[in-house]
Amino acid sequence: MMKIAFIFGTRPEIIKLSSVIRLSVREKIPFVTIHTGQHYSTVMSRRFFRELDLPMPDYNLNIRSKAPWRQGDHTGRMMMRLEQILLKELPGVVVVHGDTNSTLAGALTASKISTTKAFTGFDIKLAHVEAGLRSYDRSMPEEINRIMADHLSDLLFVPTVKSRDIVLSEGVKRKKVFVTGNTFVDTLYFKRPEWSGNLPGSPDKGGYILLTIHRQENVDDKKRFVGILKAIKKIGVDHKLPIIFPAHPRTVKKMEEFGISVSGWMELMEPCAFTEFIALEANAALILTDSGGVQEEACVLLVPCVTLRDSTERPETVDVGANIIAGIDPVNIVKSARVMLSRKRDWKNPFGDGRAAERILDVLVRQFGRKK
Ligand code: UD1
Ligand code: UDP
């Protein structure tokens, strides 16, 4: 059986590859895990290995970003180390997830090694989990990363039919593309006994608004960030709901740098563990976010969501009525919150049945099952 190399670096990649890694352990599929170190705080990385029953990474490259305008430096440093490790481990297939700099570094490195096949014999296939997402906004680093990963990949595991159609329309060959559902649903169901304990009858149910915000375009731009926070404050006051805010470290650093204080009107806290965060999402009256994964989770948990961005690569959430893309105009954010707070929570889950990992591993074993 060929060896898989899972390459990841951030919180959402660890969470969303976890079901595939757990299943690989169960099925005794040989694999190696490589953490780029992009996320390094315990609350953004280490804690999830314990919580999600994952083996600790075989390698941790400890490669941190230096500044948002030095993305080439970040990606390049990862590639140099990844190449050394992949040439040592020689996996049959590299699996990357999503749209971060770690995704791009893993995808490019594996593809570059394969271009030497004629004279080295090294041939590493590339598989992209959560392929086919597009915001159609190339000013976002994530859009560049996901387009590159999709077009370099030998196998594209897309969460929905919509994402399949996107990559097909861009000329990706149909035989490379597999609709699997989103892997976060697998983990949501796997951890249900832990998070659902806090649900029915909870005194907090519907008693607060949950906020997450961390995207470069929102929090690195002071004017934009302050405008969004003003709108959020008004929403809390208008609806007499407290705002709970487990803040990403990037956001906390920017708040300190810009001298922004939210004390007195917002409950700012450390990033949560996965099950703790899911329980917070599931109990919320409304979720305000610029996260990709949180838009999806809100949709599956039947919690209304307002997205604090100009675009989404998760249009399925809008199509079913679970999400409004409010942009950053404070008036529109406040209006969107009012609409979503009164929306009936009866939409359908577009992200699958929680068996994405089985489908992904099934394809990998069928395609690369023989020893190289
Ligand atoms: C990255 C991804 C983004 C994803 C997010 C998930 C890129 C370009 N961006 O953004 O798509 O939505 O992860 O959370 O890959 N920091 C810490 N501790 C950590 C991690 C980050 O303090 O564990 C701080 C550091 O100051 C760092 C900054 O956050 O410089 C930004 O981190 P970085 O990994 O560059 O980007 P994210 O904002 O986390
Ligand atoms: N998440 C978490 N704790 C938190 C906030 C988020 O475990 O305090 C999880 C959330 O459930 C989701 C993922 O992190 O699975 C989303 O990651 P993030 O918002 O950092 O990145 P994005 O999805 O925007 O790339």
Side-chain angles (χ1 to χ4, degrees):
M1 176 70 213
M2 50 89 212
K3 178 159 67 179
I4 303 174
F6 293 101
I7 298 179
F8 47 77
T10 67
R11 169 170 72 186
E13 292 162 84
I14 299 165
I15 292 171
K16 287 171 156 183
L17 280 177
S18 67
S19 62
V20 190
I21 297 174
R22 275 192 307 273
L23 191 57
S24 301
V25 173
R26 225 170 48 229
E27 298 290 318
K28 300 194 169 46
I29 291 171
F31 69 88
V32 60
T33 51
I34 309 171
H35 191 325
T36 64
Q38 177 169 351
H39 282 181
Y40 52 88
S41 306
T42 303
V43 292
M44 296 298 285
S45 172
R46 194 182 176 86
R47 71 139 58 118
F48 295 110
F49 291 87
R50 249 193 333 265
E51 187 185 18
L52 302 177
D53 292 353
L54 296 176
M56 288 311 283
D58 296 301
Y59 296 90
N60 193 322
L61 313 187
N62 199 20
I63 294 174
R64 303 176 182 183
S65 63
K66 288 184 181 151
W69 56 91
R70 297 199 54 196
Q71 304 233 350
D73 169 276
H74 191 206
T75 312
R77 281 183 288 125
M78 288 182 195
M79 286 182 70
M80 286 167 67
R81 289 294 314 284
L82 285 171
E83 188 176 54
Q84 290 167 351
I85 294 165
L86 291 179
L87 288 176
K88 181 172 146 226
E89 293 285 344
L90 288 179
V93 58
V94 158
V95 176
V96 294
H97 173 277
D99 54 19
T100 70
N101 289 349
S102 299
T103 314
L104 177 61
L108 263 173
T109 309
S111 306
K112 287 278 183 196
I113 290 174
S114 291
T115 65
T116 67
K117 181 181 170 193
F119 52 95
T120 60
F122 302 152
D123 185 18
I124 301 179
K125 300 293 180 201
L126 176 65
H128 187 203
V129 177
E130 202 176 79
L133 275 61
R134 294 291 179 273
S135 66
Y136 299 105
D137 177 356
R138 288 205 183 191
S139 67
M140 299 171 70
E142 293 83 3
E143 184 74 352
I144 306 298
N145 295 341
R146 59 173 84 96
I147 291 172
M148 294 292 291
D150 280 352
H151 285 268
L152 292 171
S153 287
D154 300 290
L155 294 172
L156 291 85
F157 296 113
V158 297
T160 65
V161 169
K162 206 170 194 123
S163 38
R164 178 196 66 195
D165 292 345
I166 287 174
V167 286
L168 294 183
S169 75
E170 293 178 2
V172 173
K173 290 209 172 68
R174 187 174 281 268
K175 65 174 191 211
K176 291 179 167 186
V177 187
F178 300 86
V179 181
T180 60
N182 196 306
T183 52
F184 86 85
V185 184
D186 306 12
T187 301
L188 199 67
Y189 292 173
F190 169 64
K191 292 304 249 182
R192 183 153 42 194
E194 282 165 59
W195 57 261
S196 63
N198 294 327
L199 288 181
S202 156
D204 285 327
K205 190 155 178 71
Y208 59 88
I209 292 170
L210 179 65
L211 167 69
T212 80
I213 183 164
H214 70 275
R215 290 302 176 106
Q216 167 181 304
E217 65 272 19
N218 281 337
V219 302
D220 288 15
D221 178 336
K222 184 174 181 186
K223 193 160 159 240
R224 188 169 163 134
F225 191 14
V226 168
I228 294 172
L229 289 176
K230 269 195 188 135
I232 293 169
K233 187 171 186 181
K234 178 158 169 50
I235 294 167
V237 171
D238 285 357
H239 300 280
K240 298 190 176 54
L241 288 170
I243 316 278
I244 296 187
F245 180 25
H248 191 290
R250 179 187 199 123
T251 312
V252 173
K253 285 180 183 164
K254 283 289 157 190
M255 289 170 74
E256 282 163 7
E257 183 186 324
F258 296 149
I260 296 172
S261 163
V262 293
S263 67
W265 67 272
M266 203 189 267
E267 199 182 314
L268 183 73
M269 58 165 83
E270 284 242 296
C272 304
F274 178 72
T275 43
E276 189 190 352
F277 187 73
I278 295 290
L280 270 179
E281 286 180 306
N283 279 312
L286 176 71
I287 293 179
L288 302 172
T289 193
D290 63 2
S291 159
V294 176
Q295 289 175 63
E296 293 164 348
E297 287 166 356
C299 181
V300 172
L301 293 165
L302 296 179
V303 180
C305 181
V306 171
T307 295
L308 307 166
R309 281 173 40 188
D310 299 318
S311 61
T312 185
E313 57 293 315
R314 274 89 174 172
E316 296 87 349
T317 60
V318 179
D319 294 347
V320 299
N323 187 13
I324 291 182
I325 310 306
I328 53 147
D329 170 27
V331 176
N332 204 37
I333 295 174
V334 171
K335 192 175 124 214
S336 302
R338 182 160 302 123
V339 170
M340 287 313 290
L341 273 164
S342 59
R343 184 152 292 177
K344 196 160 174 234
R345 302 176 176 210
D346 61 355
W347 52 80
K348 293 255 178 323
N349 160 20
F351 291 113
D353 57 4
R355 295 179 55 206
E358 284 173 46
R359 296 187 182 96
I360 290 168
L361 270 192
D362 188 48
V363 173
L364 288 175
V365 169
R366 266 191 287 125
Q367 302 245 351
F368 308 117
R370 280 167 289 112
K371 210 172 176 65
K372 286 195 327 139

